[in-house]
Amino acid sequence: MADLGFEVLGLDVDAGKIARLSNGDLPFYEPDLEPVLRRNLENGRLRFTTSFRDLADFGDVHFLCVGTPQKADGYAADLSHLDAAVDALAPLLRRPCLVVGKSTVPVGTAARLAGVLARLAPVGGDAVLAWNPEFLREGFAVRDTLRPDRIVAGLPAEQGAAEHAEKVLREVYAAALADGTPFVTADLPTAELVKTAANAFLATKISFINAMAEICEASGADVTRLAEALAHDDRIGGRFLGPGLGFGGGCLPKDIRAFMARADELGAPRALTFLREVDEINVRRRVRTVEVTRRALGGSFAGRAVGVLGAAFKPDSDDVRDSPALDVAASIQAQGGAVTVHDPRATANARRVQPSLRYAGSALDAARGADAVLLLTEWREFRELTPSDLAPVVAGRVIVDARNVLDPAAWRAAGWTYLALGRP
């Protein structure tokens, strides 16, 4: 927003995080974001605070970008952080403003928060709530923000408030709209559902091709060729049709579970029962990767060294939340394997989550002395590895390509046992 020319004040309750951001230091890795941060700190359009009073006095538009993790005791979304943000901000809104939710929430949350805002905001504050879900992909967040594929505006039911909210959001996103980005208006519950439905569809597509991988393994077929053929069908397409270890991170897994939980609450439990199988297929990919590796090592990890390439749930990120790669590494260690992990960006976060694993500063160091090497996160530097790169350092020439990104023929020709999910 600052890069688009707006004056921006960002708030977090974590004083340490605010201090780092104010110094131009990102608390997480996202390609191309650090120059944007520093540029707008230097030009004065971007500042940070821990004070809700400062925020309320400053803003014409307040974006709520608060996380909604899965509850510890079930599938439902934990909205406590979002509720706390609204409770803290609303009583301080003493002038007309638009409050815009961007968090991924169960349908019905926006209407509830609109009631909270109306109840807590001072008389005459004239605060209106809209919902504008975010569709940012980790690793592409800067591009997705500046050049979104669509903008969804969930508007209040009252005509005057809806007209005002749409007008303000069109001003906020004027640059993207001028470039032809579609602007979709909807009621509040529909806007909430756009995000959760999109994530449910993407998760289903990933698990579909991984279900086909299970059939391919049983029949001797090649899931990568199957996926390639399906991708030529315009009705299906190739995006999110990459077979392998499956999805993870802080969005898809918890969002489909929260969607199921909300369907139960709404009295429509059967509508989303298929998502339970989507989730289970995804988890089975992790178990299958461990099984394939164990079988390649003679049926046991005891006394065996395993090199793991990747800890982040996806490349170009340092996010290890619900990471399939880290889950596989920990499972192998729990079964007696000596596991060494390397990730270009996520090592520090992985070490906090799985401190008992060993970590290396390079792919070669992770593979050194390994009886098997597992490629679990498809970082470019891992995709570009050749058999001759690893051969001098490994103890055994076994490579498990859990992301189907290496050339099987090249590795096998070099004397390696090449194994992958869904391929002969």
Side-chain angles (χ1 to χ4, degrees):
M1 288 294 143
D3 223 40
L4 292 172
F6 296 99
E7 299 293 323
V8 178
L9 181 63
L11 177 141
D12 199 284
V13 297
D14 183 337
K17 183 181 294 184
I18 289 300
R20 290 183 62 180
L21 287 166
S22 298
N23 288 325
D25 179 19
L26 284 176
F28 56 88
Y29 173 70
E30 177 64 36
D32 305 320
L33 182 56
E34 188 170 311
V36 177
L37 170 66
R38 294 188 174 185
R39 177 166 62 248
N40 289 286
L41 286 172
E42 291 170 0
N43 64 32
R45 286 201 295 264
L46 178 60
R47 296 183 291 114
F48 295 94
T49 184
T50 58
S51 168
F52 277 90
R53 169 62 69 188
D54 289 347
L55 197 76
D57 291 341
F58 174 87
D60 300 303
V61 182
H62 300 285
F63 283 103
L64 300 170
C65 308
V66 182
T68 54
Q70 183 178 331
K71 285 184 176 179
D73 60 353
Y75 276 8
D78 179 359
L79 302 179
S80 60
H81 305 301
L82 181 59
D83 288 339
V86 174
D87 289 346
L89 177 64
L92 304 174
L93 298 176
R94 302 185 182 279
R95 61 189 181 91
C97 64
L98 182 65
V99 178
V100 185
K102 294 195 74 68
S103 304
T104 304
V105 295
V107 61
T109 302
R112 179 178 63 81
L113 292 180
V116 173
L117 191 64
R119 186 177 74 253
L120 296 182
V123 176
D126 196 18
V128 174
L129 184 128
W131 214 262
N132 171 221
E134 61 86 9
F135 302 102
L136 309 184
R137 299 165 296 164
E138 290 191 43
F140 302 92
V142 172
R143 186 173 76 186
D144 289 346
T145 301
L146 298 177
R147 292 179 294 279
D149 56 12
R150 81 282 207 193
I151 297 166
V152 176
L155 306 176
E158 300 79 7
Q159 183 176 352
E163 292 174 352
H164 170 69
E166 181 176 351
K167 178 177 181 293
V168 171
L169 287 172
R170 285 186 177 276
E171 291 174 359
V172 167
Y173 291 115
L177 296 179
D179 287 339
T181 299
F183 188 88
V184 180
T185 60
D187 53 46
L188 292 174
T190 301
E192 292 168 305
L193 280 172
V194 170
K195 174 65 174 186
T196 49
N199 280 356
F201 185 87
L202 296 176
T204 300
K205 194 171 183 180
I206 295 168
S207 281
F208 170 81
I209 197 61
N210 283 332
M212 295 303 99
E214 294 183 5
I215 300 299
C216 287
E217 289 178 1
S219 63
D222 187 332
V223 72
T224 62
R225 294 299 183 203
L226 174 62
E228 180 183 356
L230 291 174
H232 287 294
D233 188 327
D234 288 341
R235 298 168 301 173
I236 299 173
R239 295 188 66 187
F240 282 78
L241 208 62
L245 187 50
F247 57 82
C251 291
L252 292 190
K254 64 97 175 173
D255 286 349
I256 64 171
R257 294 164 191 162
F259 205 6
M260 285 187 281
R262 184 57 176 152
D264 286 346
E265 294 170 353
L266 291 171
R270 296 179 62 185
L272 299 180
T273 53
F274 72 94
L275 288 181
R276 193 173 301 277
E277 184 60 27
V278 166
D279 198 14
E280 291 176 358
I281 291 169
N282 190 57
V283 173
R284 285 205 300 271
R285 293 292 79 195
R286 306 178 188 195
V287 175
R288 180 61 178 158
T289 301
V290 175
E291 290 176 349
V292 166
T293 307
R294 183 174 56 241
R295 187 178 303 166
L297 295 179
S300 174
F301 289 115
R304 296 303 194 110
V306 177
V308 167
L309 304 181
F313 86 95
K314 64 177 290 186
D316 297 314
S317 172
D318 63 354
D319 193 344
V320 298
R321 290 175 295 175
D322 202 1
S323 166
L326 206 54
D327 193 10
V328 168
S331 295
I332 292 174
Q333 183 192 54
Q335 295 179 37
V339 181
T340 304
V341 180
H342 170 67
D343 190 283
R345 293 286 181 174
T347 295
N349 288 339
R351 198 189 301 273
R352 282 191 286 271
V353 175
Q354 293 289 348
S356 62
L357 292 171
R358 287 184 290 191
Y359 295 91
S362 69
L364 291 183
D365 285 341
R368 196 173 305 280
D371 298 295
V373 177
L374 280 62
L375 194 162
L376 302 184
T377 309
E378 62 274 33
W379 286 92
R380 179 176 179 179
E381 67 180 71
F382 299 158
R383 300 197 307 266
E384 294 177 348
L385 285 171
T386 66
S388 59
D389 291 330
L390 296 184
V393 301
V394 296
R397 295 190 179 188
V398 176
I399 182 82
V400 179
D401 178 11
R403 294 297 183 178
N404 282 305
V405 292
L406 302 176
D407 180 359
W411 287 81
R412 287 169 178 158
W416 287 72
T417 298
Y418 172 92
L419 300 167
L421 300 179
R423 307 179 80 172

